[in-house]
Amino acid sequence: QLQLQESGPGLVKPSETLSLTCTVSGGSISSSSYYWGWIRQPPGKGLEWIGSIYYSGSTYYNPSLKSRVTISKDTSKNQFSLKLSSVTAADTAVYYCARRDRAIDYWGQGTLVTVSS
Amino acid sequence: EIVMTQSPATLSVSPGERATLSCRASQSVSSNLAWYQQKPGQAPRLLIYGASTRATGIPARFSGSGSGTEFTLTISSLQSEDFAVYYCQQYNNWPLTFGPGTKVDIK
């Protein structure tokens, strides 16, 4: 059974860079045809797609965040990562890592990241 | 960017009753539409993809229909575990976009 687990700091200061890692078990991120990505959800609000990385390494980002986002992968560790720069309080959210086949079929449990000094 | 809208925002239903949720896309997404269920404190769960195909393990009381810009999720007979927030999402175009959600609560 595929499992995804987010890890990283739960508190980030304004203007700094948010960094999260997703560790995948039960399957390889190098498997063809899957996208691996990040979605976030501010407290009490809806879901926002941040970006995805294809098994081949191609990346796709939400235009609203593109200037601040980098998604990368480490196939040797079966992990992929999110970096979001210049964060503000508006970036406070639960961050989910996920796999997309056609729809998003596997999700991590989510990790709350709070932006505050 | 394709904008997804959902109606109603909140749907109050009695257990055993039928629930019908609507989703609209600002332009055609063909059948590249998914529905997710989210309960408090949990990650979303995929219910439907391809507008009408149930994901693995999803009960038959959940059904999806539609294509193009108009979609419907129907829960034929609401069980206690079905009270949750439901999101539609298009994956026809980048960026992936979600609707704002419909909360199904107990009447």
Side-chain angles (χ1 to χ4, degrees), chain B:
Chain B
E1 170 174 324
I2 296 176
V3 177
M4 307 300 292
T5 56
Q6 292 185 243
S7 61
T10 303
L11 185 61
S12 296
V13 184
S14 298
E17 288 188 341
R18 183 185 195 92
T20 302
L21 289 66
S22 295
C23 174
R24 176 175 291 178
S26 61
Q27 65 189 75
S28 177
V29 298
S30 186
S31 293
N32 296 314
L33 189 285
W35 290 94
Y36 303 86
Q37 176 194 67
Q38 188 178 34
K39 298 179 181 178
Q42 296 185 15
R45 176 175 71 143
L46 176 64
L47 298 176
I48 301 284
Y49 64 93
S52 61
T53 302
R54 279 189 300 277
T56 303
I58 301 303
R61 64 180 181 272
F62 291 92
S63 63
S65 63
S67 65
T69 62
E70 302 280 345
F71 301 89
T72 300
L73 175 69
T74 301
I75 311 170
S76 60
S77 176
L78 268 155
Q79 306 298 302
S80 57
E81 62 266 30
D82 300 336
F83 293 97
V85 179
Y86 292 83
Y87 294 95
C88 63
Q89 178 240 329
Q90 67 81 21
Y91 53 93
N92 194 62
N93 288 52
W94 301 105
L96 307 182
T97 48
F98 292 88
T102 291
K103 182 179 182 180
V104 177
D105 65 17
I106 300 174
K107 188 173 182 180

